[in-house]
Amino acid sequence: MTTLTIVESSVKPGLAAFQAVAEDQEEVQELILKTARWLHSKGSTQWGNLLKGKDDHNLGGAIARGEVIIFRTSEDHALAGAVILQQQPSAWDRKLWGLDDADAEGGTSVYLHRLVVDRDRAGKGLGHELMQWIEQGIRFTGKDRIRLDCIAGNDKLSQFYQQCGYTYRGETDGFNVFEKMLTEI
């Protein structure tokens, strides 16, 4: 099993990163659901299963494994954002990336899921800052790349990932997949 290490907790002045603990789960879940409702209001089907009560990424298990990072303000400790960084590919990741069971252990990829920014803080560049921190403020032993996906029809999100330096690797089953090499492992 690989480990992650937060090497810089400060994302920017007034915002810090922490590994989520069990007590954070309800608050993180509500932030994710708030984002899913917002996406739905914009006509997107992304994260639609969450609105039906289905948690494809097992938030509680991800927190227990130390894979959820939360971002809190210094002023009032409010939750500004969160992300799941899986060090082993899920069944979803294996399907999208065409991995076999041998790739499930010992791979060199981190799988980014459920990046959320509190809607009250959106539109101010926070998403870009969080993506930059994910690459620079944290280290994953033995990992050299980050992989992620989004619905193929979500052009705005696809463009966002490309602006963050992720390379489009193609479309699988209606989802765009992106990858970015890390500078250090």
Side-chain angles (χ1 to χ4, degrees):
M1 175 96 178
T2 57
T3 59
L4 66 83
T5 304
I6 293 178
V7 294
E8 175 58 55
S9 64
S10 177
V11 177
K12 67 177 194 168
L15 189 67
F18 305 90
Q19 272 187 291
V21 295
E23 293 78 18
D24 297 314
Q25 183 173 343
E26 186 175 324
E27 189 178 13
V28 173
Q29 183 70 32
E30 184 51 41
L31 180 61
I32 291 171
L33 285 170
K34 184 179 179 182
T35 303
R37 288 189 291 269
W38 176 79
L39 287 166
H40 182 73
S41 77
K42 299 294 183 189
S44 175
T45 59
Q46 184 122 3
W47 298 3
N49 282 342
L50 285 170
L51 299 177
K52 298 173 187 169
K54 186 175 179 190
D55 180 5
D56 298 323
H57 293 294
N58 183 9
L59 181 62
I63 289 173
R65 289 186 302 274
E67 298 173 338
V68 178
I69 303 296
I70 57 174
F71 304 93
R72 292 196 179 275
T73 62
S74 301
E75 184 178 306
D76 57 3
H77 211 58
L79 185 62
V83 66
I84 299 173
L85 298 167
Q86 295 178 326
Q87 298 178 66
Q88 301 299 324
S90 65
W92 174 261
D93 297 317
R94 286 192 297 275
K95 177 183 172 192
L96 284 183
W97 288 93
L99 306 175
D100 61 28
D101 289 338
D103 293 313
E105 296 295 325
T108 62
S109 300
V110 172
Y111 296 86
L112 186 151
H113 294 286
R114 303 277 193 247
L115 174 69
V116 290
V117 171
D118 179 50
R119 299 309 316 150
D120 296 334
R121 300 172 195 283
K124 300 173 183 145
L126 182 56
H128 284 277
E129 291 170 334
L130 298 184
M131 291 294 283
Q132 185 175 13
W133 180 88
I134 289 165
E135 297 161 26
Q136 298 172 359
I138 194 166
R139 292 289 175 262
F140 302 92
T141 303
K143 304 295 184 176
D144 66 359
R145 70 195 73 210
I146 297 176
R147 290 178 167 174
L148 52 85
D149 65 87
C150 69
I151 288 180
N154 192 335
D155 296 336
K156 188 172 182 176
L157 189 54
S158 291
Q159 184 179 43
F160 168 76
Y161 291 139
Q162 289 175 321
Q163 289 171 349
C164 289
Y166 285 75
T167 302
Y168 173 74
R169 294 293 186 203
E171 182 181 327
T172 304
D173 294 333
F175 289 85
N176 289 341
V177 291
F178 296 88
E179 181 176 69
K180 185 171 187 177
M181 299 303 292
L182 298 171
T183 55
E184 296 181 22
I185 61 169

